[in-house]
């Protein structure tokens, strides 16, 4: 079999999508060891992405010139207000489309076009191109952003016209997939699709990363270290978690002496958080790290890892760190709304708590702390959901 994968992000740090896309290629090779896997990598700017670590047959790498002409910027100020269409977005899509149109796609059995970030430029660029009728398109996140769980912006005419453009892409594509069961359901309904949206969850494979850089690792100081690495966005609630932990530490000397909570976050005012919890030295708030250092901390220096899903009512995406954490068999606590993607995956309720219920968060966090104080046995919160066997089964279902 011959696979063509068109990628937008294969970076090794600074983005969850790069981690996910690199791992997808590794898992595809594991699932089909004798296949031909060719990659076209259309990137927005020059970067060193360690592409030699990827187990593929070839990679064509192209840095796109996405600088928008002044005339387009000037005209767009009026155009989008009158016609609810962004000329800036159209220009960027055209740049991508020009490169995609050069690909000799007819020589491949299966074609995957994978989105990145919130703008979905790659998918929108394929509209009306012949390759789209032969392609499996993948939604990394919901599009447009208004349908992203936890988003609080207004529904504008511009968003509706974006949805109209994507509707044409969905109609023309051979097959549509997304990374979450709930998102697949929602996107199929949103676009009135007459073909099924399949689910292909995020993956993680450590073999496509150089994890040798440990120069900035925070070494644990307590018997049990709890950690959170990630962004605070789309209704993710870090305060309910830290308030719960602070109460546990203040109420029990054992927790005070033998536990700590280390956080590496972006998208939030770190100084404000440090000030709020300054009376609790067990809470350590640090800046973010590159992927190698962050991975080392979570693999070797952490005993309990926290996941924050979008909230407060609904989360239809799969957080990118879930397959990474699943690979190392440590306890997690997912702080989640009552309807969320991880609630469909994590079957044991001890590993998931209602993001709107501080008492439940506190109780389940305490249970995990007690467990880790007494045992370091591996645990399997995600079951076999991210296994190689399940990935192969899902891919076979999609391409067949």
């Amino acid at each position: 079999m011959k696979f063509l994968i068109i990628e937008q992000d294969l970076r090794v740090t600074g983005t969850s999508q790069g981690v996910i896309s690199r791992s997808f290629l590794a898992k595809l090779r594991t699932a089909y060891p004798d296949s031909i896997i060719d990659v076209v990598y259309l990137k927005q700017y020059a970067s060193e992405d360690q592409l030699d670590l990827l187990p593929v047959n070839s990679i064509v790498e192209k840095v796109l010139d996405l600088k928008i002409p002044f005339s387009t910027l000037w005209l767009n100020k009026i155009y989008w207000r009158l016609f609810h269409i962004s000329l800036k977005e159209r220009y960027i899509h055209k740049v991508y489309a020009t490169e995609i149109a050069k690909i000799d796609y007819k020589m491949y059995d299966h074609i995957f076009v994978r989105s990145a970030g919130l703008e979905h430029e790659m998918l929108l660029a394929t509209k009306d191109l012949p390759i789209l009728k032969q392609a499996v398109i993948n939604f990394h996140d919901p599009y447009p952003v208004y349908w992203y769980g936890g988003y609080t912006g207004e529904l504008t005419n511009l968003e509706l016209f974006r949805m109209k453009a994507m509707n044409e892409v969905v109609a023309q594509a051979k097959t549509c997939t997304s990374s979450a069961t709930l998102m697949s359901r929602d996107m199929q309904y949103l676009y009135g699709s007459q073909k099924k949206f399949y689910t292909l969850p995020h993956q993680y494979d450590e073999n496509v990363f150089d994890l040798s850089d440990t120069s900035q690792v925070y070494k644990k100081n307590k018997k049990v270290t709890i950690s959170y690495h990630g962004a605070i966005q789309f209704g993710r609630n870090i305060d309910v978690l830290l308030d719960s932990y602070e109460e546990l530490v203040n109420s029990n000397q054992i927790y005070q002496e033998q536990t700590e909570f280390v956080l590496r976050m972006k998208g939030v005012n770190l100084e404000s958080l440090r000030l709020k919890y300054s009376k609790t030295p067990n809470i350590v708030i640090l800046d973010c790290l590159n992927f190698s250092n962050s991975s080392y901390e979570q693999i070797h220096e952490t005993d309990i890892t926290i996941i924050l899903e979008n909230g407060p009512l609904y989360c239809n995406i799969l957080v990118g760190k879930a397959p990474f954490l699943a690979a190392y068999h440590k306890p997690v606590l997912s702080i989640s709304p009552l309807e969320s993607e991880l609630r469909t995956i994590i079957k044991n309720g001890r590993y998931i708590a209602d993001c709107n219920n501080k008492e439940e968060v506190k109780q389940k966090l305490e249970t995990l702390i007690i467990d880790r104080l007494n045992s370091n046995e591996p645990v399997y919160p995600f079951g076999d959901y991210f296994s190689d066997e399940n990935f192969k089964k899902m891919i076979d279902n999609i391409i067949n």
Side-chain angles (χ1 to χ4, degrees), residues 245-344:
Y245 176 71
E246 188 174 51
E247 289 182 11
L248 287 173
V249 167
N250 291 336
S251 67
N252 191 309
Q253 189 174 354
I254 293 176
Y255 302 154
Q256 190 175 93
E257 294 174 351
Q258 300 197 41
T259 75
E260 63 183 343
F261 197 149
V262 179
L263 301 105
R264 292 193 180 273
M265 298 176 290
K266 60 182 178 179
V268 67
N269 188 330
L270 296 185
E271 287 306 316
S272 177
L273 275 181
R274 288 187 183 115
L275 181 62
K276 179 178 179 181
Y277 299 104
S278 60
K279 295 181 180 179
T280 307
N282 299 67
I283 296 176
V284 182
I285 299 175
L286 304 170
D287 293 327
C288 288
L289 296 170
N290 65 23
F291 184 67
S292 180
N293 280 275
S294 176
S295 296
Y296 189 94
E297 280 191 12
Q298 293 177 82
I299 297 167
H300 300 289
E301 305 294 333
T302 297
D303 301 285
I304 301 168
T305 308
I306 300 299
I307 295 175
L308 297 182
E309 287 198 281
N310 295 356
L313 300 176
Y314 181 64
C315 181
N316 65 349
I317 68 158
L318 175 63
V319 293
K321 69 165 51 183
F324 167 80
L325 297 178
Y328 298 105
H329 313 307
K330 292 189 176 184
V332 303
L333 181 59
S334 180
I335 311 301
S336 306
L338 290 179
E339 187 172 10
S340 78
E341 183 67 14
L342 283 183
R343 288 186 183 274
T344 71

Side-chain angles (χ1 to χ4, degrees), residues 203-263:
Q203 301 295 315
Y204 173 72
D205 190 314
E206 68 176 10
N207 295 309
V208 290
F209 301 97
D210 178 358
L211 302 179
S212 61
D213 180 10
T214 60
S215 59
Q216 296 176 289
V217 164
Y218 175 88
K219 295 291 186 178
K220 64 182 296 183
N221 295 301
K222 306 285 187 178
K223 184 173 182 179
V224 172
T225 297
I226 307 157
S227 78
Y228 175 74
H229 290 233
I232 305 298
Q233 60 183 356
F234 296 114
R236 296 179 184 178
N237 189 346
I238 191 67
D239 292 79
V240 68
L241 177 65
L242 292 178
D243 289 347
S244 299
Y245 176 71
E246 188 174 51
E247 289 182 11
L248 287 173
V249 167
N250 291 336
S251 67
N252 191 309
Q253 189 174 354
I254 293 176
Y255 302 154
Q256 190 175 93
E257 294 174 351
Q258 300 197 41
T259 75
E260 63 183 343
F261 197 149
V262 179
L263 301 105

